[in-house]
Amino acid sequence: MGMGSLAATAIELLMQSWGEFNVSLVAALSVMLLAGVLHQAIMLKDNVKSSSTTNPESKGRLQDDILQTPLKIQNNEEFVVDDPAIATSSTDLPQRNSSSSSSFIYLIRLELLAAKNLLGVNLNGTSDPYAIITCGAQKRFSSMIAGSRNPLWGEEFDFYTEELPVEIQIAIYDWEIVWKSQLLGSMSLIINAEEQNGASWHLLDSTGKVCIQVMTKRYPISASGSLNGYLGVVARRRLSQEQSKLVGTEVHQKPGPLQTIFNLPLNEVVKHSYSCALERSFLYHGRMYVSPLHICFHSNIFGKQLKVILPYEDIEEMKRSQHAVINPAINIILRSGSGGQGVPPLAGFDGRPKYKFASFWSRNRTLRALRQAFDNFNGMQAIAKQEQVLSWTRQQGSFQSVEENIEDLHTSATGYLKEIVQPSLKDDVLVQICKVELPCTAEEYFTLCLADNSKFAEEYCAERKDTDLHVEKWCEADKNHRMARMVTYKSLCTSPMCPPDTAVTVWQQAAFSDDKEALVLEIVSQVHDVPFSSCFEVHARWLFETSSAASSTLVVKCGVHFKKWCVMQSKIRAGTRNEYTADVEMTVKLAQQFLRNSRVNLQRGGDEKS
């Protein structure tokens, strides 16, 4: 009896009564009903917003309001981007005036170096700052620096526009895990012309300063076939859109998640979608959408929306990774200069931004699908690039006709040969280091200093104390009368990290304009026996333009092209530029003296014959 009464007491205590069961059931049904009502309200709100964005007039008014008060909108909520004027992809074309017909694209490269004396909004007196940089409809995110009021970034961001002046806005926020980010300060910068400015500090509108460096260059739209990277994609897409206006074909398709969530064009459709999580302060669970042009991710956790739009032209690499050792993940690494898209990226040790996605049902299958879509995009771009080159060739007809369409020799730098032939130089690394007058025409300089029978190369190496000089003869490189040759020698090395001398190989390519008034000399130099020599090349372009019967203008641009990543890139870039600048100054002085001596010798020879 004792055991039976004890069991009955236990059952009475552990089991719910009928009244308690009814209360629990009613509470559960109430929670489910409330969740359904909230879900319907949110969906109705999104549908109203998406339908309002399809009205061109309302869209125009929204864009005008945003251009007038951009920082106010960002301060309210920079992540909840339901408006199409705010939620723009990096693949948006540069803004252009409908009344203008610019044939150039400006590349604006902004380097965000550091900030200091920012507001401390965390409980410990620090902040978790990241920057949002906006140029027209293009928006880039820097990485987030945890626990610092004096962050150091050292990150590059590329923007594209067809007209100057243009305004760039930099807003620095404090990252919050759940709540919306808090604005720490902002500033704006006007870019008026093609130029390069050194690093400088700018005051924020609240407290603190930000250090940035800006470089602006101009490229011709018509050279889209010879442009690489995102700049070439933008140029080719601009041309294709202009050509498609003549056809008048429209595609009517029901909007999908890419349109309702990310405001992408109607011609983009979802090929694959995967449930996954984005790694930030913790894993933000959401969904990844894969289209022929983008990889998109959307998450809505605790009311904080995260939208990431990654165009394939910004992606350099996708590889396997791990989150917390046991959670398979995928790292998507972007090219340097692309910046983050929608959410602050993770900072890579090599300076490239990256995003990490985890919690896939099948990580390997997802990675195969992503790589396949990436390869398909690259294949389409390669075909479009070749078609653009052929199209331009048919329009121009010959090498000589290209120069008639050049508006600016110093900005296009492709006028006499690069519209037809695939360029060997990387234009985005070239920076002007010298502009000087020479006492000869462009044709005379080639004849006296660069021709096969010239002794100038020997005098140049003797002045530099170089040895083992070997200069090959010029040969015709293609049907457009472009000439090429190779020069090898051993150069003295003063760095303690280098051997006493190092082998150098120089490839030179030259081409004249039809009237012999201009000469383009492209040079690629490879140093063999110095640290990290296999990682970089020195690219240079010498442009000679005849200004009178006995003088010409020489403009020299140079830069370092890194074929693969290595440490000390900034030091290699700065040191190489300084050394090449000094070498150009010495070459110009030697050339001026050599030209005077050659003319004196020719004059003496003429007097002796007479």
Side-chain angles (χ1 to χ4, degrees):
M1 291 295 294
M3 293 296 296
S5 60
L6 183 61
T9 303
I11 292 174
E12 183 179 358
L13 291 175
L14 295 177
M15 292 187 64
Q16 293 181 342
S17 64
W18 181 250
E20 292 174 339
F21 177 78
N22 289 334
V23 171
S24 301
L25 180 61
V26 171
L29 292 175
S30 301
V31 171
M32 294 174 63
L33 179 62
L34 180 60
V37 171
L38 290 176
H39 178 72
Q40 292 295 330
I42 293 174
M43 292 297 293
L44 179 61
K45 180 180 178 181
D46 290 340
N47 291 335
V48 171
K49 288 186 176 181
S50 62
S51 62
S52 64
T53 58
T54 59
N55 187 348
E57 297 180 357
S58 63
K59 183 176 179 179
R61 290 194 297 269
L62 287 172
Q63 288 178 340
D64 293 339
D65 295 340
I66 289 166
L67 290 176
Q68 294 174 2
T69 58
L71 293 180
K72 182 178 180 181
I73 292 176
Q74 291 178 358
N75 193 14
N76 290 337
E77 179 54 65
E78 70 277 12
F79 286 115
V80 182
V81 282
D82 295 319
D83 191 282
I86 308 174
T88 53
S89 167
S90 65
T91 57
D92 291 339
L93 296 177
Q95 292 184 343
R96 68 181 302 196
N97 189 346
S98 58
S99 61
S100 66
S101 57
S102 173
S103 60
F104 291 90
I105 281 185
Y106 291 92
L107 164 64
I108 302 174
R109 176 161 294 169
L110 185 145
E111 187 172 359
L112 178 65
L113 300 175
K116 62 182 180 181
N117 301 328
L118 298 178
L119 291 174
V121 297
N122 294 340
L123 295 178
N124 58 0
T126 63
S127 296
D128 304 320
Y130 69 94
I132 299 179
I133 305 165
T134 306
C135 177
Q138 303 168 74
K139 182 183 292 187
R140 305 285 186 268
F141 286 68
S142 75
S143 61
M144 184 268 291
I145 308 298
S148 175
R149 294 181 57 203
N150 303 291
L152 298 175
W153 282 291
E155 299 175 4
E156 292 182 347
F157 305 90
D158 293 344
F159 299 96
Y160 307 91
T161 183
E162 294 183 23
E163 295 179 349
L164 294 180
V166 68
E167 182 180 13
I168 295 181
Q169 298 172 349
I170 302 176
I172 300 180
Y173 290 87
D174 173 67
W175 173 264
E176 296 291 346
I177 296 178
V178 176
W179 314 112
K180 61 183 180 182
S181 300
Q182 180 177 346
L183 180 65
L184 301 179
S186 62
M187 56 86 60
S188 61
L189 180 69
I190 303 297
I191 306 297
N192 292 309
E194 183 180 8
E195 59 184 358
Q196 180 174 7
N197 299 325
S200 58
W201 289 93
H202 299 263
L203 290 173
L204 300 176
D205 57 4
S206 56
T207 300
K209 298 180 179 180
V210 61
C211 183
I212 60 176
Q213 183 173 346
V214 182
M215 183 268 292
T216 306
K217 297 184 69 174
R218 189 169 72 164
Y219 296 90
I221 286 288
S222 56
S224 62
S226 63
L227 295 176
N228 295 319
Y230 183 45
L231 183 61
V233 173
V234 170
R236 290 190 289 276
R237 195 169 297 170
R238 244 285 308 280
L239 288 176
S240 63
Q241 286 193 357
E242 291 181 351
Q243 295 170 359
S244 64
K245 294 178 181 178
L246 303 176
V247 181
T249 302
E250 294 185 7
V251 178
H252 298 279
Q253 185 173 334
K254 183 179 179 181
L258 295 180
Q259 289 74 40
T260 57
I261 300 176
F262 304 100
N263 191 44
L264 292 179
L266 286 174
N267 59 356
E268 284 211 51
V269 295
V270 177
K271 296 298 183 182
H272 308 281
S273 65
Y274 304 98
S275 175
C276 61
L278 172 68
E279 179 182 340
R280 281 307 314 162
S281 305
F282 67 98
L283 291 179
Y284 291 87
H285 189 78
R287 195 156 194 87
M288 175 185 290
Y289 301 91
V290 182
S291 78
L293 299 177
H294 299 87
I295 298 176
C296 304
F297 174 82
H298 176 249
S299 173
N300 189 356
I301 302 294
F302 304 119
K304 181 166 186 173
Q305 292 195 52
L306 304 182
K307 298 181 182 181
V308 181
I309 304 177
L310 302 179
Y312 288 123
E313 55 260 28
D314 284 347
I315 298 176
E316 280 195 349
E317 187 179 1
M318 291 182 285
K319 60 183 181 180
R320 294 178 177 85
S321 180
Q322 297 290 129
H323 172 75
V325 181
I326 60 174
N327 189 358
I330 296 175
N331 277 350
I332 299 180
I333 303 173
L334 309 181
R335 63 175 178 83
S336 178
S338 62
Q341 308 290 342
V343 176
L346 300 175
F349 70 93
D350 55 359
R352 297 182 298 175
K354 67 177 181 179
Y355 288 93
K356 178 181 285 189
F357 298 94
S359 301
F360 292 96
W361 286 104
S362 176
R363 189 270 309 274
N364 293 338
R365 186 180 66 181
T366 304
L367 183 58
R368 285 194 298 269
L370 294 179
R371 287 177 173 173
Q372 181 64 42
F374 183 59
D375 293 340
N376 292 340
F377 173 82
N378 289 333
M380 290 189 299
Q381 292 303 315
I383 294 173
K385 188 174 181 179
Q386 294 175 0
E387 290 179 350
Q388 184 59 38
V389 173
L390 295 176
S391 175
W392 183 258
T393 304
R394 289 192 295 267
Q395 293 175 13
Q396 298 302 320
S398 65
F399 172 82
Q400 287 80 6
S401 63
V402 176
E403 83 178 278
E404 299 175 0
N405 298 285
I406 300 301
E407 293 185 15
D408 190 343
L409 278 171
H410 305 294
T411 54
S412 67
T414 60
Y416 302 106
L417 50 99
K418 296 183 65 179
E419 301 286 353
I420 303 300
V421 183
Q422 175 74 16
S424 58
L425 301 187
K426 299 296 182 181
D427 285 321
D428 55 344
V429 304
L430 297 181
V431 177
Q432 180 173 323
I433 61 172
C434 177
K435 184 176 182 180
V436 66
E437 295 291 329
L438 294 177
C440 66
T441 63
E443 186 177 10
E444 288 176 345
Y445 185 89
F446 184 87
T447 303
L448 297 176
C449 298
L450 297 176
D452 293 333
N453 57 355
S454 174
K455 301 297 182 182
F456 179 71
E458 297 177 0
E459 291 194 10
Y460 168 82
C461 288
E463 181 69 20
R464 286 171 42 92
K465 299 181 180 180
D466 297 333
T467 58
D468 296 346
L469 173 65
H470 178 70
V471 182
E472 294 185 355
K473 292 185 177 182
W474 290 101
C475 61
E476 189 170 340
D478 51 43
K479 63 180 181 181
N480 299 315
H481 309 293
R482 182 173 179 171
M483 299 172 290
R485 73 176 182 182
M486 185 174 68
V487 180
T488 59
Y489 60 89
K490 286 189 176 181
S491 175
L492 292 179
C493 187
T494 58
S495 174
M497 300 178 63
C498 303
D501 55 9
T502 176
V504 180
T505 302
V506 180
W507 293 272
Q508 297 178 344
Q509 294 178 340
F512 278 103
S513 62
D514 185 42
D515 54 6
K516 303 294 184 180
E517 294 294 321
L519 168 66
V520 178
L521 177 65
E522 293 186 341
I523 303 173
V524 177
S525 303
Q526 177 69 65
V527 185
H528 297 285
D529 303 321
V530 299
F532 310 109
S533 60
S534 62
C535 299
F536 68 93
E537 296 174 338
V538 181
H539 289 195
R541 178 180 290 116
W542 297 50
L543 178 60
F544 302 84
E545 187 178 8
T546 300
S547 54
S548 67
S551 65
S552 61
T553 302
L554 169 63
V555 177
V556 181
K557 297 183 179 182
C558 81
V560 179
H561 166 55
F562 288 93
K563 298 181 288 186
K564 56 184 178 181
W565 180 86
C566 68
V567 297
M568 302 172 61
Q569 283 193 6
S570 59
K571 185 172 292 186
I572 293 174
R573 188 181 294 110
T576 302
R577 186 176 300 170
N578 294 335
E579 290 182 9
Y580 202 88
T581 302
D583 188 66
V584 169
E585 293 175 354
M586 184 195 72
T587 304
V588 169
K589 291 180 180 179
L590 285 177
Q592 290 173 343
Q593 181 64 34
F594 185 81
L595 290 170
R596 284 192 291 267
N597 295 338
S598 299
R599 285 179 175 176
V600 171
N601 294 334
L602 290 175
Q603 187 176 2
R604 288 178 180 176
D607 294 340
E608 291 177 358
K609 291 181 180 180
S610 61

